[in-house]
Amino acid sequence: FVIPLYLWSNYWGHILIGLIFAFNGTMEALRLSFPAAQRVALWVFGPLMRKGELRRLTGTFYYSCGMFTTMCINPSQEAVSLACLNLSLGDPVAAITAHFVGGRFPRLPTGKSVAGTLAFWLTGLAAGVAFLHGVLGYAAGAAVPKALVAATVGCLAEAAVDVHRSYHLDDNAVIPIAIAVALTLWP
């Protein structure tokens, strides 16, 4: 729902993304600081949370942080939308692909399956080209290079996060931020 609002109005898109980030940050601070808030959060959101998120920041916080930072780095519709599409479509498609067919393919040094990584890249590329060409009206020749940069950088960012797990980086923040930086530097 962020992309349609952002397309309708950059101003309201900025407001919404900022509010979501502020809300997530506040809720996470309350949840991690007060046992009563933690109990309520687990009662409401427990089934949606991973076991590792019970005592640390959730992926939702990092997602909103990544999108907010993306918007601050490069507020263009292209950058925000490509970052959002790569993360919200590429990441789950990679996980599903790795789960079902990843064992049949070699693994990268990070432990990620080649099939999942390729699925992330292809999904980001296809979604990016479809969005830039179909929604924003880019010519196909202009849409492909931008989508290619976003998908490739998103893939590399996810791989870098997995290699450097000791830094406690989260791909939900790193992927959109890396895409925003790349698209800011890309002409």
Side-chain angles (χ1 to χ4, degrees):
F1 70 93
V2 170
I3 293 175
L5 180 65
Y6 208 81
L7 290 174
W8 175 64
S9 166
N10 276 12
Y11 174 77
W12 288 109
H14 289 159
I15 297 293
L16 177 65
I17 292 171
L19 288 173
I20 291 171
F21 178 53
F23 176 78
N24 279 335
T26 302
M27 297 311 293
E28 290 292 290
L30 289 171
R31 181 180 70 85
L32 295 172
S33 299
F34 300 104
Q38 174 78 321
R39 285 191 297 277
V40 170
L42 290 176
W43 180 71
V44 175
F45 299 110
L48 302 173
M49 295 173 71
R50 297 178 179 146
K51 285 183 181 182
E53 294 177 332
L54 298 178
R55 302 265 184 256
R56 66 173 178 82
L57 295 171
T58 62
T60 305
F61 171 78
Y62 289 109
Y63 187 100
S64 64
C65 175
M67 291 310 301
F68 181 77
T69 307
T70 294
M71 180 190 66
C72 292
I73 293 170
N74 186 340
S76 70
Q77 291 176 331
E78 297 88 1
V80 172
S81 299
L82 288 174
C84 188
L85 286 169
N86 272 271
L87 183 58
S88 61
L89 297 178
D91 208 22
V93 168
I96 292 166
T97 302
H99 177 76
F100 286 107
V101 298
R104 298 182 199 141
F105 292 87
R107 296 247 173 226
L108 297 171
T110 62
K112 292 285 187 180
S113 77
V114 170
T117 302
L118 185 59
F120 181 104
W121 184 77
L122 287 172
T123 301
L125 179 61
V129 170
F131 178 80
L132 291 173
H133 181 63
V135 177
L136 295 184
Y138 275 58
V144 171
K146 273 196 186 241
L148 185 62
V149 167
T152 303
V153 168
C155 232
L156 293 172
E158 179 157 33
V161 166
D162 288 330
V163 168
H164 299 290
R165 280 281 180 214
S166 60
Y167 293 121
H168 305 291
L169 299 172
D170 190 286
D171 63 344
N172 289 315
V174 174
I175 291 169
I177 292 169
I179 291 171
V181 169
L183 291 177
T184 300
L185 299 175
W186 185 261

